[in-house]
Amino acid sequence: MTDPRIIVITSGKGGVGKTTSSASIAVGLAIEGKKTVVLDFDIGLRNLDLVMGCERRVVYDFINVINKEVKLNQALIKDKRIENLFILPASQTLDKESLTISGVQYVLQELQDMGFEFIICDSPAGIENGAISAIYFADEAIITTNPEISSVRDSDRMLGILSSKTQRAKNKNQLPIQENLLITRYNPNRVDKGEMLSIDDITDILRIPIIGVIPEDIEILKASNTGNPIILNNNSQSGQAYSDTVNRILGNTCPLRFIKKQEKSFFSRLFGG
């Protein structure tokens, strides 16, 4: 049996789009035929099931499985839209201290035994117990950041945590965790006006490879509010950018899109639109 790829979606700062990204990446991998599960590590808040549109189907959760109150397959929710996609929701009533490293290891081993190819870990923000539990066993980390200096600074701090607090960092016989950068809410017109950091500004600070750039898009909010991950909206630029990101995770080459300033049309210039 092949080991699954364990990917944590993380950042130092909240509100940068980790859960939106976790949902869309998991959906995209399942669409590509990969048996995928996405785990919500944000114990006490539990937003992933809302974004995935399955909040009414939650009966048992991550902590119930860790505490061995139920079997893993009792807590896993199978997505109704996409074959090969499963969700393990977080507990809404307990706190982050309920997560234990040994408990997370037990769940990951069970998922491996079930033949999952990708395990996506939706990490809470910060560097507390929930975030450390989410990153600890990861093979790869997707650092999510907005093009603003506070978000990039916190991502830089998270890179330091990844290089010291994970199992791979502590085990000298393992390769370091593979780090990639996902920039969200990118608006090239605002970059041109000096209101946002550019891609070059961000990569100069963080110095890790880019796996995707997701444009600022009102369609993301609409998608989250209706429980349909934005990657399912093929007409949106952000949905297309997430599809590109999934392709890069699978090792395919595709250029970054939606990163250049949009020039106004003749009529927009003429009428001041």
Side-chain angles (χ1 to χ4, degrees):
M1 184 180 296
T2 306
D3 288 347
R5 283 173 66 180
I6 304 175
I7 303 176
V8 61
I9 314 297
T10 187
S11 75
K13 191 174 187 297
V16 298
K18 287 187 301 298
T19 298
T20 296
S21 299
S22 297
S24 278
I25 288 170
V27 167
L29 290 167
I31 288 173
E32 294 296 327
K34 306 297 182 184
K35 187 174 181 180
T36 302
V37 59
V38 55
L39 279 57
D40 189 350
F41 279 78
D42 206 351
I43 308 299
L45 291 177
R46 205 179 85 189
N47 291 319
L48 181 66
D49 55 300
L50 281 171
V51 174
M52 298 289 286
C54 62
E55 72 277 10
R56 294 180 182 176
R57 299 175 60 201
V58 177
V59 178
Y60 300 114
D61 58 54
F62 204 157
I63 301 302
N64 292 137
V65 180
I66 283 180
N67 291 340
K68 301 188 179 177
E69 296 159 350
V70 298
K71 299 287 187 184
L72 176 58
N73 57 13
Q74 291 177 273
L76 283 178
I77 300 172
K78 189 177 188 307
D79 192 272
K80 289 182 176 178
R81 299 158 294 198
I82 301 151
E83 190 70 22
N84 294 322
L85 179 61
F86 295 79
I87 303 120
L88 183 58
S91 170
Q92 230 173 0
T93 56
L94 297 172
D95 59 36
K96 293 178 173 59
E97 300 307 314
S98 304
L99 276 176
T100 60
I101 293 296
S102 60
V104 173
Q105 186 175 30
Y106 163 71
V107 172
L108 294 177
Q109 184 60 57
E110 291 279 303
L111 292 170
Q112 179 175 349
D113 293 344
M114 293 173 72
F116 280 97
E117 297 171 89
F118 282 88
I119 299 173
I120 306 299
C121 303
D122 179 21
S123 169
I127 55 174
E128 296 179 353
N129 185 55
I132 298 299
S133 299
I135 67 173
Y136 190 79
F137 294 103
D139 304 310
E140 305 167 40
I142 294 179
I143 315 297
T144 310
T145 191
N146 292 160
E148 57 185 64
I149 191 63
S150 61
S151 180
V152 175
R153 183 192 60 189
D154 287 350
S155 293
D156 198 26
R157 190 174 181 204
M158 179 51 70
L159 288 173
I161 300 294
L162 288 167
S163 66
S164 60
K165 299 284 189 183
T166 62
Q167 184 185 50
R168 284 177 173 269
K170 294 177 180 178
N171 186 349
K172 303 301 179 188
N173 296 321
Q174 282 188 303
L175 292 172
I177 191 168
Q178 182 180 327
E179 300 159 339
N180 284 300
L181 177 63
L182 179 67
I183 302 173
T184 55
R185 296 180 186 159
Y186 193 75
N187 185 327
N189 291 332
R190 294 181 62 188
V191 171
D192 189 65
K193 294 176 184 175
E195 297 173 356
M196 283 184 171
L197 298 178
S198 69
I199 293 172
D200 287 344
D201 292 334
I202 298 169
T203 54
D204 279 351
I205 297 169
L206 298 180
R207 298 197 174 276
I208 56 175
I210 290 181
I211 197 76
V213 177
I214 311 300
E216 192 173 46
D217 188 350
I218 188 65
E219 295 299 325
I220 292 179
L221 181 60
K222 293 179 185 175
S224 294
N225 287 339
T226 56
N228 290 297
I230 187 64
I231 196 170
L232 293 172
N233 183 347
N234 296 324
N235 295 321
S236 68
Q237 290 188 350
S238 50
Q240 294 170 42
Y242 272 117
S243 292
D244 291 347
T245 301
V246 169
N247 270 312
R248 295 187 197 99
I249 290 171
L250 293 173
N252 301 316
T253 301
C254 48
L256 295 173
R257 293 190 280 174
F258 318 118
I259 60 171
K260 294 183 179 175
K261 179 185 172 185
Q262 292 181 334
E263 299 296 338
K264 289 185 177 181
S265 68
F266 170 76
F267 290 106
S268 294
R269 292 196 301 274
L270 185 63
F271 297 111

